Amino acid sequence: MSTGDGAPLASRPEHTLRAAAHRAAQASPHYRDLPVGGSGGGGGGNGDGGADARVKWADTPFTSAADLLRGGPRMAARTGVTAYASSGTGGSAKPAFFTARDRAATVRRTAAGLVACGVDPGDTLVVAHGFGIWLIGPDFTSAGEELGLRVVPVGKGPGIAHTLALLRELGADVIATSPGYAQRLAALVGPGDAAAALGTRMLLLSGETVSGRLRASMRRSWGLDAVHSFYGSAELGHLGCDPAADGSIALTSDLAYEVLTAHGPAALREGTTGELVVTTLFQEGMPLVRYRTGDLVRLTRVGQEGPVIPLEVRVLGRIAESAVLESGEKLWAWQVEEAVVGAEGITDFRAYVDEVPMERQWFTTGDRLSVRVATEHDRPLTSEAVRRLTAGLREMSLDMSAAVGSVEIELEWCAYDDLVADDGPGKPRRLVDRRDGFPVPVETPGEAPAEAGGAR
């Protein structure tokens, strides 16, 4: 399946995609009711349990997180599976159903990522991810066990001081955790001293987007270069990692990928930016056809066309974490992060967009961008630092020039505990649009500027 100029539209040929859709229609009640393109006849609710051979892949319906929330058990292909769930950034748990074979597959992918990033058989792997009803903590733990590593699944522990004491006692050659938790560990030990104090030579970050600037900040605060990103989700498991520690995620080859833009599915060319769409090829517990991940990515490498097209991407962030300003400019959470994280020892932030009245020529109302930041050791910002950072926000990779007349920018320092106190269930939202009548755009991916990176 290619465009008119020969560029592929998916990382697998159409006959492979149609076969996967056919299997999903045979197995899952959700897909039996949809006209998914497949190799068998029927489908589309005609009762024979097959997929509709007349449906072209480009016309096959997408699956979204809303389907998982609404469909619940209808997404499951069979009984006797493990049910995971992730509240994500929305606070509502999405179910994810895995058979033993599905779990083995995602563990195998994670183990391959560990090897690709340079984990050695004699390493102690500390898994400091939460161990609730989601996949990421057990995934790293099982992958480490499969490789014969010494695995210490500390989770988040009863407290960060307790976790730190445990790491000092047992050692931590490799730590798998979220960027936010890694920053808190480093701040507790001391800037630049964490790797030496804990004997750590490698960080494996996942659960949040890792921009280039955040990666540089992590390297400084830990005093090491090996900071790798792992990318995945509760409903799909492990999707890829960046062996070169440069933020370019090599997507695993046993899934199929497309990129969806505001204009529809896009040709797979380097530089293409849009929402990552995934089709599972052999998932048993919950097969997914054209599943919209909600993640904005840019293709950084497209390999030669064949049975499998190798892809590398930079994950720019969640599509939902953006806001269209009064001027028509779009603001993304990763752009705010690029402007503030790492500067003046800043470790975390939350940004809010509000509508405010203005008495200026051409504008009666405008927007206020309020950014709250936390710093290492909860050190307050100086007035000069606030001035420089506010100026930096105006010079974000977003072209703010058109919005200068209608956007007020405020920056406030606060202690870390106060910063996270207002976070609801699920992952923290880094950019929140609080204006009435201005919902955060979720359904249609937009165009993004040219600089970002990392993995969530």
Side-chain angles (χ1 to χ4, degrees), residues 350-431:
R350 302 289 185 272
Y352 306 91
V353 179
D354 297 283
E355 187 177 65
V356 294
M358 288 187 171
E359 296 180 359
R360 300 181 186 177
Q361 188 177 15
W362 310 116
F363 298 103
T364 57
T365 62
D367 301 311
R368 175 187 293 122
L369 174 63
S370 303
V371 182
R372 304 183 76 204
V373 299
T375 56
E376 293 172 352
H377 300 295
D378 286 342
R379 293 177 180 141
L381 292 174
T382 65
S383 58
E384 175 60 20
V386 171
R387 186 194 67 77
R388 288 199 304 270
L389 288 169
T390 303
L393 287 167
R394 286 209 175 275
E395 297 171 1
M396 289 183 289
S397 51
L398 169 74
D399 180 9
M400 292 289 286
S401 59
V404 166
S406 63
V407 176
E408 294 181 352
I409 294 180
E410 294 181 347
L411 187 137
E412 174 191 358
W413 169 86
C414 65
Y416 178 82
D417 289 344
D418 294 333
L419 180 71
V420 302
D422 294 334
D423 289 343
K427 296 176 186 175
R429 290 184 61 85
R430 301 302 175 88
L431 175 63

Side-chain angles (χ1 to χ4, degrees), residues 155-167:
K156 295 300 176 69
I160 193 167
H162 175 89
T163 298
L164 184 59
L166 189 63
L167 299 190

Side-chain angles (χ1 to χ4, degrees), residues 252-296:
T252 183
S253 61
D254 54 354
L255 299 166
Y257 306 96
E258 300 171 78
V259 175
L260 178 63
T261 72
H263 306 291
L268 298 184
R269 298 191 188 91
E270 292 179 7
T272 298
T273 299
E275 183 177 6
L276 185 68
V277 175
V278 180
T279 295
T280 61
L281 301 179
F282 302 104
Q283 196 89 342
E284 294 179 330
M286 190 175 74
L288 292 171
V289 175
R290 305 195 90 185
Y291 180 69
R292 297 179 58 170
T293 62
D295 292 328
L296 188 71

